[in-house]
Amino acid sequence: MVQIKVGIARLNDGSMVAKAGTVIDQLTANAALFPAPVPSIAVLTAAKNALVTAMGEAEKGSKAAYIELRAWRRTVEDLLHQAASYVGNCLLKTS
């Protein structure tokens, strides 16, 4: 398998949203190379949007909102790692 560097470990929440958006845009723009992404673009988009919403709620300061933010961040991180594995597998097949 081709190793894809995800590079998200030190990103703040806003940068994580931007990274997810870039991955979504690139998977969409290169649909011929990545015909059935795992996770799907819809799932990744929904998680990114939920992270944005959780960021807004966490700014209000409740502990529950902060916990929700951390959970959505972990979800987005996991999905980006899955997407990187999928891309690596696709690239291995084309090389």
Side-chain angles (χ1 to χ4, degrees), residues 2-11 15-16 19-20 23 76-88:
V2 176
Q3 288 288 341
I4 304 293
K5 183 177 178 185
V6 181
I8 58 174
R10 295 186 178 180
L11 295 180
S15 296
M16 180 72 68
K19 177 72 132 185
V23 170
V76 171
E77 287 175 357
D78 291 344
L79 293 172
L80 289 174
H81 283 287
Q82 290 174 25
S85 293
Y86 169 77
V87 168

Side-chain angles (χ1 to χ4, degrees), residues 9-81:
R10 295 186 178 180
L11 295 180
N12 63 31
D13 295 335
S15 296
M16 180 72 68
V17 168
K19 177 72 132 185
T22 299
V23 170
I24 291 164
D25 291 345
Q26 292 301 313
L27 287 172
T28 302
N30 294 290
L33 289 174
F34 310 113
V38 176
S40 70
I41 292 171
V43 167
L44 191 52
T45 300
K48 178 190 71 106
N49 292 341
L51 178 57
V52 170
T53 300
M55 288 167 60
E57 291 298 316
E59 286 181 6
K60 297 175 184 174
S62 82
K63 185 172 181 168
Y66 180 76
I67 291 169
E68 185 77 8
L69 171 65
R70 298 282 51 102
W72 278 113
R73 181 184 168 92
R74 280 190 301 277
T75 298
V76 171
E77 287 175 357
D78 291 344
L79 293 172
L80 289 174
H81 283 287

